[in-house]
Amino acid sequence: MALKIVKGSIDRMFDKNLQDLVRGIRNHKDDEAKYISTCIDEIKQELKQDNIAVKANAVCKLTYLQMLGYDVSWAAFNIVEVMSSSKFTYKRIGYLAASQCFHESTDVIMLTTNQIRKDLSSPNQYDTGVALTGLSCFVTPDLARDLANDIMTLMSHTKPYIRKKAVLIMYKVFLKYPESLRPAFPRLKEKLEDPDPGVQSAAVNVICELARRNPKNYLSLAPLFFKLMTSSTNNWVLIKIIKLFGALTPLEPRLGKKLIEPLTNLIHSTSAMSLLYECVNTVILCVQKLRILIEDSDQNLKYLGLLAMSKILKTHPKSVQSHKDLILQCLDDKDESIRLRALDLLYGMVSKKNLMEIVKKLMLHVDKAEGTTYRDELLTKIIDICSQSNYQYITNFEWYISILVELTRLEGTRHGHLIASQMLDVAIRVKAIRAFAVAQMATLLDNAHLLTGNTQRNGICEVLYAAAWICGEFSEHLENPAQTLEAMLRPKVATLPGHIQAVYVQNTAKLFATILKSQEGNADGTTSEETTQLMIDRLPLFVQSANLEVQERASCILQLVKYIQKLQQKDVEVAEEVSALFAGELNPVAPKAQKKVPVPEGLDLDAWINEPPSESESEDEQPKAIFTKEEPKHSRPRHTEVDEKELAKRREARKQEQANNPFYIKASPSSQKVYQDAPGVEHIPVVQIDLSVPLKVPGLPMSDQYVKLEEERRQKERAEKKKKEKKKRKEKRSGRGKKHDSGPESEEDITPAHMVDIVTEEMPENALPSDEDDKDPNDPHKALDIDLDKPLADSEKLPVRSHRAAEALKSPVEDAEAENAGPQESKKKSSKDKKEKKKDKDRKVDAGNLITSTDLLHLVSLTDGFLFFVCDIQGNLQDGSQVVVSVIFENKCSSFLKSMEFNVLDSLNSKLQRPEGSGPHDGLTVPFQLPPGVSNEARFVFTVQSIVMPQKLKGTLTFIVKNEDSSTHEKLDFKLHFTCTSYLITTPCYSDAFAKLLESGDLKSSSIRLEGVNMPFHHLLARICFHHHFSVVERIDSCASMYSRSIQGHHVCLLVKTSAQTVSIDAKCDEPTLLGNVLDEIKQTFSQC
Amino acid sequence: MQFMLLFSRQGKLRLQKWYVPLSDKEKKKITRELVQTVLARKPKMCSFLEWRDLKIVYKRYASLYFCCAIEDQDNELITLEIIHRYVELLDKYFGSVCELDIIFNFEKAYFILDEFLLGGEAQETSKKNVLKAIEQADLLQEIFERASFQHLLWDSIITHHDIHVTFLRIPKKQRLLAASWRKSDSHKNALLLCSSLAS
């Protein structure tokens, strides 16, 4: 042992402090990781030492390493040790480390409850402060529940420094333990009028945060806040209040009118931009002011101006639209954040009238944009803008299709699939546009090499997927299907991604069917035979494809075509039958349709259909599954014969496949008129391949021309309308005609160029109407939606710390009752209160949680409805003969309590410390008065000579109850019960030191047995730790050693063993009487459960 | 406010304060992502950006970036003011603060932050009050350290062959004094020597 101490000292000679560590890391830039791992080893050694200064230093270094990204969770217990140091210097470091390293799943947090409670009630305000700060970072639901009442008490602390912190941390407590909101709310409200501005602003902060989430519960506070708003000059507070009103006004329209005046005053008078911004945000009337912000050269203000504008847009779109010029200007800004904001705004600003113009502008930006991310963003925005609310603003779909085609020229975009799905969606749902779309897509297919030439531009070739599908599905609209078919069968196609090839192959078959159909009427069958030959020549390329999907479809279709060729040679008419392959209507399905299908009665989706597989089986199932999956594809027989049955089967399979294809979920073909002749499409352009300009898809009509066309069309319409109106007017002979003449056309006047029939998506029958699936069930604020105006029920009171002794030992409450000759009523009340507490406790134990509210060492007393008082007895570690009793007085009546005097009858052993010069029987004046409903805490110091025996002290509290007209003198007798446990202080101890202590032979031993203890061992240990201030030294299975120390330095060692329901405790202590009493108290604790 | 990060131009984290409980892994991921995004922005750009469902407000002071994450409804300008106020506080406390001050006294930087913000909300809007609280807490620490200095803790004695080595430790400066003496004499002589050296 001696050697160890010496060794420890030598180590400490080389101890690094934080500065050395930081310097070391900076000097080891090359091998930082190695250096730090040696440092961590050193720290581990340091943490093994008993010296708290060394430990604190080590923990401080660990906190730094944690920031650098090293895992320090292994040191959590050491952090707790440093936290529980009595020296502020170390405590501060401990709490800092805890707040940085602890999170909800850190298990040692539950050990800290008692320590934090002790620090919260420390006489030193900085101890309390540091504990509150730490707690704000790592508060868990358990901590919140156990400490809510302590923190609530601190809200009325005498020092504003503590009040302020306590008020703020209450918000975190509410989030973790929503039940505390109602009991704590009256006091929180009270703090809105605290004399200290810091506390006031903290209370405003907390209520504002609460109200923002659930405004309706806070409407009743509006008058109070209104007063604060007009009187406060603190910008920080004003901002919060205005934010709060912003949340309240939608619920109470009258509020809006009242607010206008003070808000306009603020807007005109304030010099703080942040406040101005908040006001503007709330009022949403001052678009002009916003223009000033946006035009400002300061980028920050510009950004915020745009942001506020987008909020106004939601409610007053008209007022924002007049600033379109400004917003379009912002698109040219060099800052991406600002451009993105402006884009967002544009999204909301479009109308039927200006859509084309805005998109044209955006297309220009697409060309100019450097950097693919911004360009991609632009692309998605264009598509979003156009497709919003079911293509509401698009009047000319030909224009839209050409925009989409233009977008395919973008180099290296990731959003090929987005364009593709838009193309599909539009072509499927807008029947009138199909002819045009098919023509465009055919051109695209013909020029496919331009899109695929570069492997980097892979994203865009997704478009071909859509093009191929549209051309195939609506092939009746094609002018020259043979040419398209040829384009789709080019060898180059084989370089495309597999899923696109698959679509190609499938759709050649559809095209083939159309061609047969159109040519069979003709006299000579040569052209159709040529087409068949083309198919037979080209398809083998796809049969060899490495992609299974392509291979499968190609081989299937190849066989089909071969069969058709045979029939053609026999001059059999096949076209009708082939077309029948692709007949049938597939309707679009709404995205949420699957979710809305009601579950049929009696269907349990969670039930196993077969016996659940056993553990061992599932393990070797894995490889088997892979094997079986592959097998059918490899062994699939090549089709040699095709009969009707087979075809039907395939059709079924095809439908199945399409159903599984993600593109079909959103959009599937609505109808297909198979026996229709392909109508002539007028302006299919003549294709020319101009390889020198590879980025342009040549021959396509540019979207710009539509803008012009559209303009002309509208003008014409307007002119016609005017004519009609004039006629009408003439008939009516109205004189005041000029008013109607010009002026901008309104939204409704614009008629779409095409009679657009947008097919709506299908929903399943008897779909559930609910649309609540957007709400996040995990939102922590949801739990705080609590009605605050309801009166508080007894059951809602916060768990007040009450001592186990209050029930089992001769309870001080009972003492107080017995001695208090008060009216009958009070007795009833107090016993009821007690019962409730007991119930509360039972509930908590049931929940399997042991560290609960019932911790405090001592008495709970209640007088004749005037005063409620709780007190806590703690030994003072610094002075072995001192015990501090903290008493919380709470005024329960509606009168004012004053001149409280606390007096205790001294015994030989224990004496109340009185100020110098006062006699041995004088009482101590409680240094405050209590208005109704208020509580406050006072501390009294007792000098104790011997701590080996429990003590009972009799005392009285006298006070004056002051009403408006009278005042009466009241007296309350009570008993203070100093148990031996209250002299013990939780002290951590290491196993080697513990072993040494036991070996020393100075200790007397004693033991007890507890029968019928029915709880898990770790609960049992936690209970002893918690109620009797022990710490666990070592635990091996069902055996543990524990340690604690008295304020006078007695060591108390326990060895706890459990078997079945019997617990045996062997204890050693250098003071046998103390040991006996502590063991008795432990026995009492367990006899209660 | 959800969290505050301080990092250098090189992307080294200098301070982190999380007001929402997150796992270490998540924290690291967020930090990495944000540092990259913020550093990639040019000096003339505005101080706000949208990130996931949060708003990021950052500002650069000399070589340090101060970066806060706030919720959707929070006020960006007041967050900028909070950052600025914190820098002012650091400046007052350290006396024209520089990055090295924060590196070497990172716990102090945390203490100041904790006095200024609590649980992500501004708790004290008066600069004077924050500094007063810090100074008094420091004073408390000082008193304790001075007390232990006066005691001149005697650490230990090593007996090696026929020589006593005695260590004396002065906590504040972390200085260690050692003195050796022949075995024949008492180690108290060594202690005496140490004491005289220390004083």
Side-chain angles (χ1 to χ4, degrees):
Chain A
M1 195 62 208
L3 190 73
K4 206 178 162 211
I5 293 173
V6 171
K7 196 169 155 282
S9 305
I10 292 177
D11 284 345
R12 275 176 58 196
M13 186 160 70
F14 303 112
D15 268 4
K16 287 192 193 76
N17 60 13
L18 178 66
Q19 274 77 15
D20 298 330
L21 177 81
V22 174
R23 212 165 286 135
I25 292 173
R26 291 168 77 81
N27 290 338
H28 289 76
K29 287 230 161 78
D30 304 328
D31 53 347
E32 196 182 292
K34 202 175 140 206
Y35 178 74
I36 288 178
S37 80
T38 58
C39 286
I40 289 184
D41 288 342
E42 282 169 24
I43 290 170
K44 282 186 179 158
Q45 288 304 317
E46 286 167 31
L47 287 176
K48 284 197 183 131
Q49 295 186 34
D50 287 336
N51 188 325
I52 192 75
V54 179
K55 269 187 199 162
N57 184 37
V59 162
C60 189
K61 288 191 279 183
L62 278 179
T63 318
Y64 187 79
L65 292 178
Q66 193 263 350
M67 182 170 70
L68 297 185
Y70 291 86
D71 175 39
V72 299
S73 53
W74 49 270
F77 186 73
N78 303 102
I79 293 175
V80 175
E81 278 180 315
V82 176
M83 272 163 77
S84 42
S85 158
S86 58
K87 303 277 184 296
F88 177 69
T89 315
Y90 305 138
K91 191 184 286 298
R92 206 180 186 191
I93 291 170
Y95 271 103
L96 173 65
S99 66
Q100 295 300 106
C101 312
F102 285 6
H103 45 85
E104 282 198 348
S105 52
T106 308
D107 42 6
V108 291
I109 281 191
M110 75 171 196
L111 297 177
T112 59
T113 321
N114 220 9
Q115 179 60 41
I116 295 173
R117 177 168 292 153
K118 206 176 115 195
D119 290 333
L120 289 182
S121 55
S122 159
N124 178 350
Q125 62 167 330
Y126 292 103
D127 281 350
T128 316
V130 106
L132 283 172
T133 310
L135 194 58
S136 73
C137 290
F138 57 77
V139 61
T140 62
D142 285 343
L143 280 180
R145 192 193 52 228
D146 294 341
L147 296 174
N149 197 51
D150 301 68
I151 300 170
M152 201 168 103
T153 318
L154 289 178
M155 279 164 71
S156 318
H157 199 272
T158 46
K159 299 236 169 55
Y161 177 80
I162 300 295
R163 286 208 299 273
K164 173 180 81 185
K165 281 180 191 273
V167 168
L168 275 179
I169 202 180
M170 262 338 249
Y171 180 60
K172 295 272 164 185
V173 173
F174 294 151
L175 284 182
K176 299 283 175 199
Y177 180 56
E179 290 88 330
S180 61
L181 178 57
R182 274 171 49 72
F185 194 70
R187 193 168 297 186
L188 188 61
K189 210 166 112 184
E190 202 177 285
K191 294 294 139 204
L192 284 176
E193 292 171 304
D194 197 278
D196 183 86
V199 182
Q200 198 182 34
S201 106
V204 170
N205 250 339
V206 172
I207 293 186
C208 172
E209 286 302 310
L210 289 170
R212 211 158 97 169
R213 265 70 190 219
N214 301 296
K216 66 174 190 303
N217 302 327
Y218 300 84
L219 266 177
S220 59
L221 289 179
L224 188 58
F225 276 107
F226 196 80
K227 207 177 87 194
L228 274 177
M229 183 167 87
T230 42
S231 61
S232 176
T233 51
N234 183 338
N235 281 349
W236 304 69
V237 174
L238 279 175
I239 285 179
K240 285 281 175 186
I241 296 178
I242 292 170
K243 205 177 273 295
L244 174 79
F245 276 123
L248 292 183
T249 16
L251 301 173
E252 177 58 86
R254 281 174 297 170
L255 211 53
K257 274 188 195 149
K258 276 199 123 182
L259 282 173
I260 288 175
E261 197 205 319
L263 280 181
T264 29
N265 283 346
L266 278 176
I267 288 172
H268 290 308
S269 63
T270 186
S271 58
M273 270 298 175
S274 49
L275 183 56
L276 177 67
Y277 174 64
E278 195 60 54
C279 294
V280 169
N281 233 343
T282 312
V283 187
I284 301 197
L285 288 173
C286 325
V287 192
Q288 283 305 326
K289 274 266 180 192
L290 275 183
R291 203 181 161 101
I292 301 171
L293 286 183
I294 299 175
E295 278 167 347
D296 200 290
S297 59
D298 182 353
Q299 296 284 56
N300 291 340
L301 293 182
K302 189 175 271 191
Y303 178 87
L304 293 176
L306 288 172
L307 197 64
M309 201 76 118
S310 66
K311 281 178 191 159
I312 297 177
L313 187 74
K314 281 175 202 147
T315 48
H316 301 84
K318 287 252 165 67
S319 55
V320 179
Q321 268 165 15
S322 56
H323 298 282
K324 197 177 71 195
D325 55 320
L326 191 64
I327 289 156
L328 284 174
Q329 241 174 49
C330 288
L331 279 182
D332 296 321
D333 199 283
K334 54 188 177 305
D335 186 349
E336 203 172 294
S337 303
I338 289 180
R339 288 196 305 245
L340 289 178
R341 279 283 128 259
L343 272 181
D344 276 351
L345 263 178
L346 282 180
Y347 175 81
M349 279 174 63
V350 292
S351 62
K352 279 182 184 168
K353 204 167 70 187
N354 60 15
L355 175 75
M356 283 183 165
E357 187 193 339
I358 288 178
V359 172
K360 186 181 157 195
K361 185 104 189 196
L362 289 180
M363 292 297 286
L364 284 180
H365 279 284
V366 172
D367 288 340
K368 274 193 289 180
E370 21 30 85
T372 45
T373 35
Y374 176 61
R375 209 167 45 188
D376 281 354
E377 189 62 30
L378 267 172
L379 191 151
T380 38
K381 269 282 135 55
I382 291 176
I383 290 180
D384 279 354
I385 287 175
C386 293
S387 64
Q388 65 176 309
S389 15
N390 215 2
Y391 308 104
Q392 186 190 343
Y393 300 116
I394 295 186
T395 49
N396 188 333
F397 275 93
E398 282 185 17
W399 166 81
Y400 185 46
I401 293 276
S402 47
I403 284 284
L404 287 176
V405 173
E406 266 178 55
L407 285 175
T408 61
R409 294 176 317 179
L410 278 187
E411 205 166 344
T413 177
R414 284 179 297 116
H415 292 299
H417 59 93
L418 196 64
I419 303 177
S421 65
Q422 280 293 302
M423 286 175 169
L424 285 172
D425 202 36
V426 172
I428 290 160
R429 290 174 54 195
V430 186
K431 282 183 187 163
I433 200 69
R434 281 182 196 158
F436 179 76
V438 167
Q440 293 286 305
M441 294 304 128
T443 329
L444 260 189
L445 282 180
D446 220 15
N447 295 302
H449 60 282
L450 297 180
L451 299 173
T452 55
N454 192 337
T455 40
Q456 279 189 331
R457 288 152 65 197
N458 245 347
I460 205 68
C461 62
E462 292 288 332
V463 172
L464 293 175
Y465 177 103
W469 193 86
I470 293 172
C471 282
E473 191 68 24
F474 306 120
S475 50
E476 70 270 16
H477 297 295
L478 270 179
E479 191 178 73
N480 192 347
Q483 191 190 350
T484 310
L485 182 67
E486 197 273 332
M488 283 169 76
L489 287 170
R490 281 178 200 152
K492 191 90 186 193
V493 173
T495 58
L496 289 172
H499 65 284
I500 299 178
Q501 281 187 56
V503 173
Y504 262 69
V505 170
Q506 187 76 22
N507 284 290
T508 48
K510 293 186 200 164
L511 265 178
F512 176 60
T514 321
I515 294 174
L516 283 187
K517 180 93 190 57
S518 64
Q519 285 172 348
E520 210 155 58
N522 296 357
D524 69 314
T526 48
T527 37
S528 61
E529 270 165 40
E530 268 170 32
T531 320
T532 318
Q533 194 54 47
L534 179 77
M535 292 283 280
I536 291 172
D537 289 346
R538 299 282 178 86
L539 276 175
L541 177 70
F542 297 103
V543 176
Q544 291 159 11
S545 169
N547 186 303
L548 286 177
E549 182 80 22
V550 179
Q551 194 189 76
E552 186 189 350
R553 291 194 193 194
S555 64
C556 173
I557 289 165
L558 184 60
Q559 291 310 317
L560 177 69
V561 175
K562 278 183 181 163
Y563 179 67
I564 291 169
Q565 195 180 30
K566 262 187 218 161
L567 292 176
Q568 275 177 333
Q569 280 157 1
K570 288 178 200 159
D571 276 339
V572 184
E573 298 234 329
V574 284
E576 215 155 293
E577 272 173 46
V578 178
S579 313
L581 277 176
F582 304 106
E585 189 157 334
L586 295 168
N587 288 333
V589 178
K592 279 184 188 163
Q594 179 68 50
K595 240 202 238 166
K596 307 249 160 156
V597 178
V599 179
E601 242 176 276
L603 174 64
D604 181 8
L605 290 172
D606 294 328
W608 282 94
I609 297 172
N610 298 316
E611 286 293 297
S614 69
E615 286 293 313
S616 59
E617 261 175 352
S618 66
E619 256 171 45
D620 35 20
E621 203 149 28
Q622 199 75 359
K624 215 164 123 196
I626 292 169
F627 183 59
T628 47
K629 223 180 186 172
E630 299 252 318
E631 205 175 34
K633 296 215 166 160
H634 286 303
S635 65
R636 198 180 180 101
R638 298 265 175 263
H639 300 287
T640 46
E641 259 184 297
V642 186
D643 53 12
E644 270 308 309
K645 236 173 153 186
E646 185 73 34
L647 283 177
K649 231 195 235 166
R650 273 192 221 162
R651 193 156 52 226
E652 205 51 51
R654 172 174 157 269
K655 275 187 186 166
Q656 197 73 37
E657 209 170 68
Q658 286 182 340
N660 294 336
N661 188 329
F663 279 104
Y664 283 83
I665 292 176
K666 196 169 174 220
S668 349
S670 53
S671 69
Q672 194 180 13
K673 291 168 187 93
V674 187
Y675 301 104
Q676 226 176 37
D677 281 325
V681 178
E682 265 156 12
H683 45 284
I684 285 195
V686 180
V687 178
Q688 291 172 338
I689 299 171
D690 181 3
L691 284 171
S692 62
V693 197
L695 271 183
K696 288 235 167 170
V697 178
L700 293 177
M702 298 299 290
S703 58
D704 290 359
Q705 81 192 51
Y706 286 97
V707 181
K708 229 167 135 192
L709 278 175
E710 183 73 9
E711 207 45 52
E712 283 166 14
R713 188 179 65 81
R714 284 185 197 171
Q715 220 133 44
K716 224 161 81 189
E717 265 171 25
R718 232 179 298 164
E720 271 170 30
K721 223 176 194 170
K722 241 194 263 173
K723 250 189 237 162
K724 268 187 204 163
E725 261 174 35
K726 258 185 198 162
K727 253 187 208 165
K728 262 189 203 164
R729 250 183 283 145
K730 263 182 199 164
E731 281 164 18
K732 284 189 179 176
R733 288 182 190 173
S734 152
R736 292 184 281 157
K738 273 187 185 167
K739 216 169 111 194
H740 287 271
D741 243 25
S742 53
E745 53 192 329
S746 68
E747 202 70 344
E748 302 83 71
D749 290 341
I750 304 171
T751 50
H754 298 202
M755 278 319 287
V756 177
D757 166 30
I758 297 181
V759 183
T760 48
E761 293 158 325
E762 276 195 350
M763 279 293 211
E765 282 171 54
N766 55 19
L768 307 169
S770 70
D771 230 338
E772 280 167 5
D773 30 21
D774 302 330
K775 282 187 188 164
D776 179 11
N778 295 326
D779 184 6
H781 302 290
K782 225 169 143 186
L784 285 181
D785 189 0
I786 294 168
D787 183 5
L788 294 162
D789 299 329
K790 234 167 39 184
L792 207 59
D794 276 356
S795 59
E796 279 183 307
K797 284 202 183 116
L798 284 180
V800 176
R801 308 174 289 173
S802 64
H803 187 33
R804 65 208 146 68
E807 279 122 19
L809 291 179
K810 194 164 181 264
S811 151
V813 177
E814 280 165 358
D815 292 352
E817 262 178 342
E819 281 162 35
N820 185 9
Q824 199 68 23
E825 190 192 13
S826 86
K827 276 192 191 170
K828 256 189 215 154
K829 201 170 173 190
S830 77
S831 59
K832 189 175 140 211
D833 191 66
K834 213 168 59 192
K835 248 183 234 155
E836 246 156 28
K837 249 175 220 132
K838 196 164 179 185
K839 226 198 271 164
D840 195 23
K841 188 173 159 189
D842 288 344
R843 184 171 59 81
K844 295 254 164 67
V845 173
D846 279 347
N849 198 331
L850 276 159
I851 301 192
T852 59
S853 56
T854 52
D855 147 63
L856 184 84
L857 294 175
H858 279 274
L859 75 155
V860 179
S861 179
L862 193 84
T863 75
D864 8 8
F866 288 126
L867 194 68
F868 176 66
F869 104 53
V870 188
C871 85
D872 174 20
I873 301 177
Q874 271 182 341
N876 185 344
L877 195 62
Q878 273 89 24
D879 189 335
S881 60
Q882 271 189 5
V883 173
V884 180
V885 177
S886 1
V887 185
I888 299 163
F889 297 92
E890 186 174 356
N891 186 348
K892 297 298 254 186
C893 64
S894 54
S895 328
F896 202 84
L897 300 186
K898 55 184 260 187
S899 307
M900 284 185 278
E901 210 170 81
F902 181 90
N903 199 4
V904 172
L905 206 59
D906 290 350
S907 69
L908 276 177
N909 190 27
S910 321
K911 290 187 175 64
L912 177 63
Q913 272 193 4
R914 298 179 168 85
E916 272 178 55
S918 53
H921 302 296
D922 292 350
L924 283 182
T925 316
V926 180
F928 47 78
Q929 303 179 332
L930 288 178
V934 170
S935 68
N936 207 338
E937 186 177 345
R939 284 157 199 280
F940 304 98
V941 180
F942 287 79
T943 322
V944 186
Q945 268 164 9
S946 158
I947 59 159
V948 299
M949 293 286 281
Q951 307 265 332
K952 273 185 192 165
L953 292 181
K954 278 187 188 175
T956 46
L957 183 76
T958 55
F959 51 94
I960 293 172
V961 182
K962 195 166 180 251
N963 288 323
E964 275 169 23
D965 42 355
S966 67
S967 60
T968 49
H969 210 87
E970 296 286 340
K971 184 179 154 199
L972 162 71
D973 293 322
F974 60 87
K975 261 188 185 179
L976 282 176
H977 190 121
F978 292 4
T979 56
C980 282
T981 297
S982 55
Y983 302 127
L984 294 184
I985 305 250
T986 315
T987 321
C989 180
Y990 277 98
S991 50
D992 34 11
F994 187 77
K996 188 182 153 233
L997 193 64
L998 289 180
E999 280 163 15
S1000 66
D1002 303 336
L1003 306 182
K1004 312 283 180 293
S1005 65
S1006 171
S1007 63
I1008 50 166
R1009 281 169 79 82
L1010 307 171
E1011 303 283 347
V1013 177
N1014 194 9
M1015 63 169 81
F1017 190 55
H1018 64 275
H1019 282 191
L1020 178 104
L1021 292 183
R1023 212 157 236 262
I1024 297 177
C1025 287
F1026 193 70
H1027 291 306
H1028 299 283
H1029 308 178
F1030 276 86
S1031 64
V1032 177
V1033 179
E1034 204 169 17
R1035 183 188 157 184
I1036 300 155
D1037 299 329
S1038 58
C1039 178
S1041 48
M1042 307 177 89
Y1043 177 80
S1044 184
R1045 227 174 68 174
S1046 79
I1047 52 172
Q1048 294 184 351
H1050 304 289
H1051 303 284
V1052 187
C1053 309
L1054 299 183
L1055 186 67
V1056 186
K1057 283 185 243 170
T1058 178
S1059 63
Q1061 296 202 342
T1062 315
V1063 178
S1064 68
I1065 301 178
D1066 295 315
K1068 282 190 173 182
C1069 176
D1070 34 15
E1071 178 50 69
T1073 332
L1074 175 70
L1075 182 63
N1077 286 319
V1078 169
L1079 287 181
D1080 279 348
E1081 283 162 23
I1082 292 178
K1083 214 169 181 172
Q1084 288 285 2
T1085 313
F1086 286 98
S1087 66
Q1088 286 170 54
C1089 43
Chain B
M1 192 185 296
Q2 304 246 332
F3 55 83
M4 186 186 228
L5 301 174
L6 259 70
F7 48 86
S8 67
R9 217 169 21 172
Q10 289 78 35
K12 282 245 160 72
L13 195 60
R14 294 299 179 214
L15 205 85
Q16 51 169 351
K17 193 84 201 176
W18 301 82
Y19 297 112
V20 282
L22 288 172
S23 68
D24 283 348
K25 210 172 137 200
E26 185 72 7
K27 284 182 190 171
K28 269 187 212 167
K29 198 172 147 229
I30 294 175
T31 313
R32 209 177 324 120
E33 217 172 288
L34 272 184
V35 168
Q36 259 176 15
T37 337
V38 171
L39 287 180
R41 291 175 63 86
K42 302 211 171 61
K44 276 282 178 140
M45 293 184 172
C46 74
S47 304
F48 317 118
L49 50 120
E50 279 188 357
W51 179 80
R52 299 196 188 171
D53 53 345
L54 298 175
K55 295 195 285 199
I56 304 296
V57 178
Y58 72 91
K59 190 148 170 86
R60 185 178 153 179
Y61 287 89
S63 57
L64 267 187
Y65 283 88
F66 291 69
C67 174
C68 296
I70 53 174
E71 275 158 62
D72 190 38
Q73 294 148 313
D74 290 327
N75 187 324
E76 291 92 341
L77 288 178
I78 206 77
T79 314
L80 268 185
E81 245 165 79
I82 286 178
I83 293 178
H84 187 71
R85 178 63 58 94
Y86 180 48
V87 175
E88 281 179 336
L89 285 169
L90 289 173
D91 212 47
K92 274 256 172 69
Y93 184 81
F94 289 110
S96 69
V97 66
C98 69
E99 194 183 338
L100 283 181
D101 283 326
I102 295 175
I103 300 173
F104 281 106
N105 299 294
F106 89 121
E107 82 276 20
K108 297 281 186 212
Y110 276 122
F111 295 148
I112 297 172
L113 185 63
D114 286 342
E115 285 301 329
F116 177 45
L117 299 175
L118 193 126
E121 299 285 337
Q123 62 159 315
E124 182 57 70
T125 54
S126 145
K127 255 183 286 185
K128 217 174 67 195
N129 284 355
V130 175
L131 288 174
K132 208 176 85 190
I134 289 286
E135 271 159 23
Q136 295 205 329
D138 281 350
L139 195 69
L140 207 67
Q141 185 167 340
E142 196 88 333
I143 289 170
F144 162 71
E145 280 177 357
R146 205 169 302 144
S148 31
F149 179 75
Q150 279 164 0
H151 287 140
L152 280 179
L153 301 169
W154 175 22
D155 269 15
S156 62
I157 315 160
I158 305 173
T159 315
H160 187 67
H161 295 296
D162 56 348
I163 295 174
H164 278 300
V165 182
T166 299
F167 292 98
L168 253 177
R169 188 182 180 79
I170 306 161
K172 189 176 182 192
K173 302 257 161 67
Q174 301 285 308
R175 213 185 312 153
L176 248 143
L177 296 170
S180 58
W181 216 263
R182 296 225 158 262
K183 196 180 186 179
S184 52
D185 299 303
S186 137
H187 60 259
K188 275 179 188 157
N189 287 328
L191 182 63
L192 271 173
L193 179 68
C194 279
S195 310
S196 59
L197 282 174
S199 56

